Amino acid sequence: MYFFKNNHNSIMTAVSAILQARMSSTRFPGKALYPLAGVPLTEHIINRIKAVTDFDHIVLAVPDSPTEIPLIEMAQRLNISIARGPEEDVLERFLIAADQVKAQHIVRICGDNPLIDRQLIRSLIHTHLRENTDYTITSDSIPLGTGTEVVKVKALKNIAETTTEPKYREHVTTWFHDNPTLVSQSHVPAPAYLMNKSHRLTVDTRNDLTLMEKIFNEFYSLASPLLDLEKVIQFLDARPDISQI
């Protein structure tokens, strides 16, 4: 496992986690605060991010809309930063969030993923800063909802200046995948327990939520509120009746 401690004296290593979330999900309104084992989905994500100690800031980036007030209140209760920006122009929302905390690099966290892998986050940050690339991901096949990506803010600003195309403004990092020769990229191996696992661990549909409820009811407790993803994967491997929900 890689551990990378930020040197807070060096502005070049200012790494922030930016969590994009909204109450007005088209397929599943209110999903962001849906309780899993009695705790709102987004709060589970924030607690997982807080357990990764490599961040200067954690920012909740929400649309600039009155519907988001419950999410903002939750972020205030959990003592994390809040950034508001356009609902559809997620790229602009990220840049507002990054500027607000003076981030040089960001880890993009999706509000659909309450089981994001902490070990992989640390590896991505460590490699990204060491190799000083524009964009860092894992190239391994891992369960949907467990991964993330690290991006240099300067590269995001370049995209914002280059394109107004909706798919690049709404899906922040698609541009990197479509233009791989125009940016520097690093690839990080995934932890062995994630590799080539096809479990779906994101929350986009009612079935996804049913699966997530079963997982959290099985593993969550006040004594150990951060689910051990390796044990979750072993559980799903052993219980196809649950994993195939």
Side-chain angles (χ1 to χ4, degrees), residues 1-231:
M1 186 186 295
Y2 292 117
F3 285 94
F4 186 89
K5 250 314 193 186
N6 264 340
N7 171 6
H8 288 263
N9 297 321
S10 169
I11 196 160
M12 283 313 293
T13 60
V15 182
S16 293
I18 298 183
L19 167 59
Q20 64 180 86
R22 60 178 181 166
M23 290 297 291
S24 53
S25 161
T26 43
R27 278 183 288 267
F28 207 148
K31 168 181 72 179
L33 292 180
Y34 194 92
L36 294 170
V39 176
L41 185 148
T42 306
E43 186 168 341
H44 282 295
I45 302 173
I46 291 168
N47 288 336
R48 287 185 85 78
I49 303 169
K50 280 183 170 180
V52 177
T53 55
D54 308 70
F55 295 119
D56 295 88
H57 296 278
I58 299 169
V59 188
L60 178 68
V62 296
D64 191 4
S65 159
T67 57
E68 307 306 318
I69 289 169
L71 264 181
I72 289 167
E73 289 172 345
M74 182 200 67
Q76 289 168 333
R77 174 170 58 82
L78 297 173
N79 200 28
I80 68 165
S81 302
I82 300 146
R84 302 171 181 87
E87 179 149 14
E88 300 305 330
D89 191 345
V90 183
L91 175 58
E92 180 63 20
R93 213 193 310 165
F94 267 71
L95 290 174
I96 290 168
D99 282 346
Q100 201 168 291
V101 294
K102 297 180 168 52
Q104 260 61 44
H105 310 271
I106 61 154
V107 178
R108 174 178 176 246
I109 314 279
C110 180
D112 300 332
N113 302 338
L115 289 175
I116 188 165
D117 188 70
R118 292 176 291 145
Q119 183 177 329
L120 180 55
I121 290 175
R122 290 189 180 110
S123 298
L124 289 164
I125 293 171
H126 183 100
T127 300
H128 182 83
L129 294 178
R130 188 185 66 232
E131 299 187 1
N132 193 30
T133 41
D134 294 317
Y135 183 53
T136 305
I137 51 171
T138 180
S139 48
D140 293 320
S141 174
I142 61 173
L144 185 65
T146 61
T148 185
E149 47 207 345
V150 189
V151 188
K152 194 179 284 185
V153 173
K154 194 190 292 185
L156 284 183
K157 288 181 175 174
N158 289 341
I159 297 172
E161 290 164 6
T162 302
T163 180
T164 55
E165 205 173 320
K167 81 165 178 174
Y168 297 133
R169 311 292 304 203
E170 187 178 351
H171 303 287
V172 177
T173 54
T174 303
W175 194 90
F176 295 117
H177 296 275
D178 289 353
N179 301 277
T181 59
L182 300 182
V183 289
S184 58
Q185 296 194 22
S186 299
H187 294 97
V188 172
Y193 53 83
L194 294 180
M195 274 197 197
N196 302 316
K197 298 291 183 180
S198 58
H199 303 300
R200 183 180 164 86
L201 294 175
T202 190
V203 179
D204 202 32
T205 67
R206 181 62 64 176
N207 278 356
D208 292 339
L209 193 64
T210 301
L211 172 61
M212 210 54 83
E213 284 179 312
K214 288 187 181 296
I215 291 169
F216 273 81
N217 290 341
E218 181 77 23
F219 288 98
Y220 178 85
S221 72
L222 290 175
S224 58
L226 298 176
L227 274 61
D228 182 330
L229 190 51
E230 186 168 5
K231 288 181 177 169

